[in-house]
Amino acid sequence: MSGVYKNRSLISAVIFVLLAVIGFTMIYPFIFMISVSLERTANLAMPFPPRLIPESSSWFNYQLVFENKSLLLAYWNSIVIALFSVALSVGSALFGGYAFSRGSFRAKRALFFIVLATMMIPFETRLIPMFTMFNDLGLVNTKYPLIFPSIINALGIVLAKQYFDQLPEGLRESAKMDGAGEFKTFFYIFVPLTGPITATLAILSFQDSWNSFIWPLVIINDQHLKTVPLFLSSFSSENGGRLAGVTMALAAMSILPLLMVFLFFQKYIIRSVALSGLKGE
Amino acid sequence: MSLVNISKPRSQPIGRWRLAPRRESHAVWYLFLLPTLLGILLFTLYPLAESLRLSFTRGVSEQFVGVQNYSDVLASGTFWYAVYNTLYITVFQLFIAIPLGFLIACLINSLRRTSNFFKVLFYIPNATSMVAAATVFLAILHPDGPLNYVMELLGLQKVVWLSQPVSAKWGAVILSVWHWLGFVIIINLANLQAIPVEYYEASSIDGASPIQQWWWITVPNMIGSLTILFVLGWIGGLQRFADAYMLGGLQGSPARSLHTVVGFIFERGFGGSEYGIASAAAYILFVFILIFTYINTKLLRMKI
């Protein structure tokens, strides 16, 4: 019996080492990024062979990044856009999910089908008319086009509907007995119970907004309105392979704050991703 | 059990007369749906129709040209090369990331204490934006970068990754596998944990070894989620843009080897203001994706 046990822990140890090696490879690009960003001479030539610890480490590249206020401005733009987008998309998903879960109205099934169908329409097919529409409204180079479309959240509606479906129906019946209308019932009885699903929806839509690239690339030209991905992309394409040190410092500063958020909320984020992948297809 | 009992009265209301009149409350539900329906109208249905209209027109005057744009796109070598690049990168991305992610998920799942640590570790690349990831990979793929250093250590020739069509595409494959692997692992782990423990218990009573259990229980039970990942990855892969654009720029350099279908739409639409051509290409992409979505729903219904 103890032999089997020993064997088992040996296998576990081997698996652990194997995963640690693969895991190091996965994390290595980040280590490399930090190492190059701390290397002052990396702006002239890529340090070769690559080092884990920079030869002449200095904060020089980070000083350059922060002296130029562009990155902070890009952060501000991304945060403002993400917050409003999250509010819109979570709000509309909770409203819609509640209606499809508890409502009885004509064309309910047809409307739900339409909402599901929007998930299948690739954004790229709508890209050009979306641009011309906001262009005609004079809203190109503003934050609005990056916020308003978040109001469609089909996956969010599906997830919210499933969440509301598993809450007891008695809640609504008793509220209605007391004479509360549908909105009152929703806000006072159901919304206070939506904590977990709201967190999931907020995380998913925050990631969508923060990482979106092609749409901001189309809408924003103004240097002062660039989001973090746009700023990083234009900086790296303007400088090509040169200025590796500064580019890596910029990349690090664009990743690290979000990485902190990820590590802090990792449990919820991973659960949300699993949920979206399992039910979002 | 109790939930089922409570929700039962909904279909057979006891004392309907006691509740608020049903007919009046119909309209209020449309108010709940107003934000979504308004959004679908403005940002889905209208653009979809307008895109279809544009695809039959050309020039600033939007002159009607029939199916000319479609035949031009389908006759364009640049377009088919973009299709080829998109499929090339996507096929290798999926065929590397899905099996690899599945194996890693199985290994993580077999650990008890440290599984959460590895789950987080492997997911970190997916939690970073593709633009930031690609920026780092521009340096990884640099002629003097770490990838070439490893190649040298292995006794292989240095490769100037982003200068040759095939190696540039492999640069994009490496980036996309690295970025997507964490997602594959998370989905696989969620499904691995959903396999009933009884299956394993019963089989170990029958004397099955862990390898036998893996092959006869784990793999068959995971085919469904692997299929879903394949279809999800395929649909996402057809829409790839950020990775190829970051590595190859607007024209997908070198020699358009990183030009993707969405890159084609983007370049013709916003580089050249050829809305007609771009819309036609966008509709062709849409049809591709609809076909795969259809296959997806078929596969799901079959519950493979």
Side-chain angles (χ1 to χ4, degrees), chain B residues 4 10 12 43 47 78 105 109 142 172-173 183-184 217 266 268 276 284 300 304:
Chain B
V4 176
R10 204 148 76 101
Q12 283 181 329
F43 305 126
T78 317
N109 200 40
H142 188 275
V173 171
F183 179 77
V184 177
I217 298 173
F266 183 81
R268 299 302 280 268
I284 293 169
L300 288 179
I304 286 183

Side-chain angles (χ1 to χ4, degrees), chain A residues 29-44:
Chain A
F30 296 109
I31 299 171
F32 177 70
M33 167 185 82
I34 303 285
S35 160
V36 173
S37 73
L38 290 172
E39 190 102 59
R40 193 175 177 145
T41 55
N43 291 319
L44 303 171

Side-chain angles (χ1 to χ4, degrees), chain A residues 211-228:
Chain A
N211 293 338
S212 75
F213 181 55
I214 188 167
W215 181 230
L217 188 65
V218 167
I219 288 296
I220 304 291
N221 290 311
D222 189 335
Q223 193 62 42
H224 301 289
L225 284 169
K226 285 196 167 150
T227 58
V228 173

Side-chain angles (χ1 to χ4, degrees), chain A residues 169-187:
Chain A
E169 175 67 12
L171 287 172
R172 202 167 79 92
E173 300 298 335
S174 60
K176 289 188 86 178
M177 259 2 152
D178 293 343
E182 297 296 355
F183 275 104
K184 246 189 176 164
T185 312
F186 175 67
F187 279 111

Side-chain angles (χ1 to χ4, degrees), chain B residues 67-296:
Chain B
V67 294
Q68 190 66 44
N69 289 323
Y70 287 93
S71 55
D72 280 5
V73 169
L74 293 174
S76 151
T78 317
F79 177 75
W80 285 110
Y81 193 43
V83 171
Y84 170 76
N85 295 332
T86 308
L87 297 183
Y88 187 104
I89 300 169
T90 304
V91 163
F92 284 107
Q93 176 198 356
L94 300 188
F95 278 97
I96 296 171
I98 293 177
L100 188 63
F102 172 58
L103 288 178
I104 294 175
C106 290
L107 291 179
I108 293 177
N109 200 40
S110 73
L111 292 176
R112 277 179 209 151
R113 262 171 261 153
T114 48
S115 69
N116 195 51
F117 166 75
F118 282 116
K119 206 197 267 189
V120 174
L121 186 75
F122 281 101
Y123 191 71
I124 287 176
N126 199 249
T128 58
S129 79
M130 179 47 97
V131 172
T135 305
V136 177
F137 266 70
L138 280 170
I140 302 269
L141 299 168
H142 188 275
D144 283 335
L147 192 57
N148 268 343
Y149 178 68
V150 174
M151 301 278 288
E152 269 197 344
L153 284 185
L154 296 173
L156 297 166
Q157 282 270 300
K158 268 193 181 186
V159 178
V160 187
W161 289 94
L162 297 176
S163 75
Q164 294 296 323
V166 174
S167 61
K169 275 196 265 289
W170 273 96
V173 171
I174 294 169
L175 165 61
S176 61
V177 167
W178 177 78
H179 192 255
W180 198 52
L181 195 63
F183 179 77
V184 177
I185 293 173
I186 295 300
I187 300 297
N188 274 321
L189 271 173
N191 282 300
L192 280 172
Q193 280 149 11
I195 300 175
V197 195
E198 290 80 13
Y199 292 3
Y200 293 100
E201 285 168 354
S203 68
S204 56
I205 291 170
D206 291 343
S209 73
I211 303 277
Q212 282 173 323
Q213 286 181 330
W214 184 77
W215 181 250
W216 294 107
I217 298 173
T218 310
V219 173
N221 275 293
M222 291 298 288
I223 286 181
S225 82
L226 294 175
T227 313
I228 290 167
L229 274 171
F230 186 82
V231 180
L232 278 182
W234 189 251
I235 292 171
L238 289 180
Q239 299 177 61
R240 70 172 60 252
F241 174 72
D243 48 2
Y245 178 88
M246 284 301 294
L247 296 185
L250 181 62
Q251 306 197 327
S253 306
R256 292 207 172 268
S257 59
L258 289 175
H259 201 47
T260 62
V261 177
V262 175
F264 180 90
I265 298 170
F266 183 81
E267 191 195 6
R268 299 302 280 268
F270 300 104
S273 294
E274 295 172 276
Y275 293 158
I277 291 278
S279 296
Y283 255 88
I284 293 169
L285 175 70
F286 183 25
V287 171
F288 273 133
I289 288 173
L290 274 189
I291 293 170
F292 285 110
T293 312
Y294 177 76
I295 296 172
N296 184 12

